[in-house]
Amino acid sequence: KYLDLSSKFYSTSSLDNVAMTFYNYGKAYENSESGHRVKAIDFYKQSIETFKQFYGGDQIVIIANANYNIGLICEDLEDFAAARQFYKEALRLFEAIYKCDNKNIAMVLNNLGSIEENSLDNINHLLESHKMYERLGILEDVAMTAYNIGIEYLEIDQSDKSREYFEKACALYRELGDDSEVNNIESI
């Protein structure tokens, strides 16, 4: 509705400003109480459509980010099917945009690794994310994904694999000086 009104006030060249406004409203509502988070999804969707209209395609980072943010909200609202859909779209876009290892790709893979319908899919996404973070040299995220992999292996009763990844996570968290994470893992 707002887009129809805004087109009367903005020229085509400023549609990107309208799209960015929708995105910013989405971000603001995303950080609000859960009752307003549905509004964030609506604004992000309007942002996506307006950016597509302005750029004539969808392979731009802000559209990938909007899809990722909708995925986060859906996951938080426990609508895992929708979260998977938006994460997979964000992943498709980030892979098309970057065509190489990238923190955004690894981030989406990590999120997919916690909501797939079966643990083997989760583990595969997490392993891919973990390896990418290793190649990128982002130790905090290597530790985080090692921990997440350990949790998934624990879920399917593969205690040796679980312990291997928990130990790796602990070693990295120690190296990073994060004793609270080490304590959390050791309490499992």
Side-chain angles (χ1 to χ4, degrees):
K1 295 175 187 176
Y2 180 74
L3 181 57
D4 294 335
L5 289 174
S6 66
S7 64
K8 294 177 184 175
F9 299 104
Y10 295 100
S11 68
T12 305
S13 66
S14 64
L15 269 180
D16 61 331
N17 292 330
V18 173
M20 197 66 214
T21 300
F22 286 145
Y23 183 87
N24 289 334
Y25 275 125
K27 203 69 172 150
Y29 278 110
E30 180 182 351
N31 296 321
S32 67
E33 298 174 17
S34 62
H36 296 293
R37 301 191 81 200
V38 173
K39 288 182 182 179
I41 292 172
D42 292 338
F43 279 114
Y44 281 134
K45 286 180 178 178
Q46 289 178 322
S47 168
I48 290 168
E49 290 311 311
T50 309
F51 276 123
K52 282 181 183 179
Q53 182 181 348
F54 180 75
Y55 288 105
D58 64 0
Q59 293 185 3
I60 61 169
V61 172
I62 195 105
I63 291 176
N65 284 335
N67 277 284
Y68 177 76
N69 292 342
I70 294 171
L72 286 173
I73 295 167
C74 291
E75 182 179 355
D76 191 50
L77 297 173
E78 298 184 7
D79 184 351
F80 299 117
R84 275 191 294 280
Q85 172 193 343
F86 285 102
Y87 284 151
K88 287 179 180 181
E89 180 62 7
L91 180 62
R92 181 189 73 78
L93 293 170
F94 282 134
E95 287 176 337
I97 293 164
Y98 295 115
K99 298 175 180 41
C100 63
D101 289 346
N102 179 274
K103 182 176 178 162
N104 290 323
I105 295 169
M107 175 183 65
V108 176
L109 288 167
N110 179 65
N111 285 60
L112 274 170
S114 65
I115 63 164
E116 286 291 0
E117 294 183 72
N118 74 61
S119 289
L120 293 178
D121 287 340
N122 285 339
I123 290 169
N124 288 333
H125 288 308
L126 289 169
L127 286 169
E128 195 175 346
S129 175
H130 181 72
K131 290 173 187 171
M132 192 173 293
Y133 280 131
E134 283 182 325
R135 290 189 299 269
L136 292 167
I138 306 172
L139 292 183
E140 299 88 0
D141 293 330
V142 173
M144 173 199 56
T145 54
Y147 171 79
N148 292 343
I149 294 166
I151 292 291
E152 286 300 320
Y153 276 126
L154 199 59
E155 293 281 323
I156 60 171
D157 294 324
Q158 289 193 19
S159 58
D160 289 344
K161 289 268 194 188
S162 179
R163 186 174 19 266
E164 172 189 337
Y165 281 95
F166 283 149
E167 287 173 359
K168 183 175 185 175
C170 278
L172 287 166
Y173 281 128
R174 279 190 189 97
E175 185 179 329
L176 294 165
D178 192 342
D179 292 333
S180 66
E181 288 298 332
V182 172
N183 294 335
N184 288 340
I185 295 169
E186 290 177 344
S187 70
I188 296 175

